[in-house]
Amino acid sequence: QVQLVESGGGLVQPGGSLRLSCAASGSIFSINTMGWYRETPGKQRELVAAITHGGSTNYAESAKGRFTISRDNAKNRVYLQMNSLKPEDTAVYYCNADIVSGVDLMSYDTWGQGTQVTVSS
């Protein structure tokens, strides 16, 4: 059994910054791509940013220049540094990872429980 646990969400004023963290735990052989998604009521969950095991990154247009994704492979963690936050960034942010289990060496598409980010004055 593997799981992802996010932290770091909260309330921030427009123009402010937040850093989200996500830790993977359980019997892990390796982790391929890790990413952050966000969801707002009435809208489909969307990719914010993703990073491969080797460090290649991919960003949504709305995140480019403001958000930075990074990961610590030794600690099985992924981070999302969010700067210059806007009210439209308000959403529940979910961590996602393609985790290869140490039990059966199968790959599992794993989601965290989500963390609320609210950008408001």
Side-chain angles (χ1 to χ4, degrees), residues 4-103:
L4 297 171
V5 177
E6 301 106 333
S7 60
L11 173 65
V12 63
Q13 292 187 340
S17 298
L18 279 177
R19 187 187 192 221
L20 305 183
S21 297
C22 173
S25 62
S27 181
I28 298 171
F29 179 77
S30 65
I31 304 178
N32 298 319
T33 298
M34 304 184 81
W36 290 94
Y37 290 72
R38 66 187 182 188
E39 188 174 312
T40 56
K43 291 183 67 176
Q44 195 169 7
R45 190 174 296 188
E46 63 177 4
L47 174 70
V48 177
I51 184 167
T52 66
H53 186 273
S56 296
T57 58
N58 179 40
Y59 293 93
E61 284 298 320
S62 60
K64 288 180 181 178
R66 298 188 301 127
F67 296 179
T68 302
I69 189 170
S70 61
R71 64 188 285 174
D72 184 330
N73 290 330
K75 295 182 178 179
N76 292 329
R77 288 178 176 265
V78 64
Y79 308 96
L80 185 68
Q81 177 67 43
M82 302 186 292
N83 299 327
S84 302
L85 282 160
K86 305 174 182 179
E88 51 263 42
D89 295 317
T90 296
V92 177
Y93 283 72
Y94 294 91
C95 178
N96 172 261
D98 178 21
I99 299 177
V100 179
S101 168
V103 174

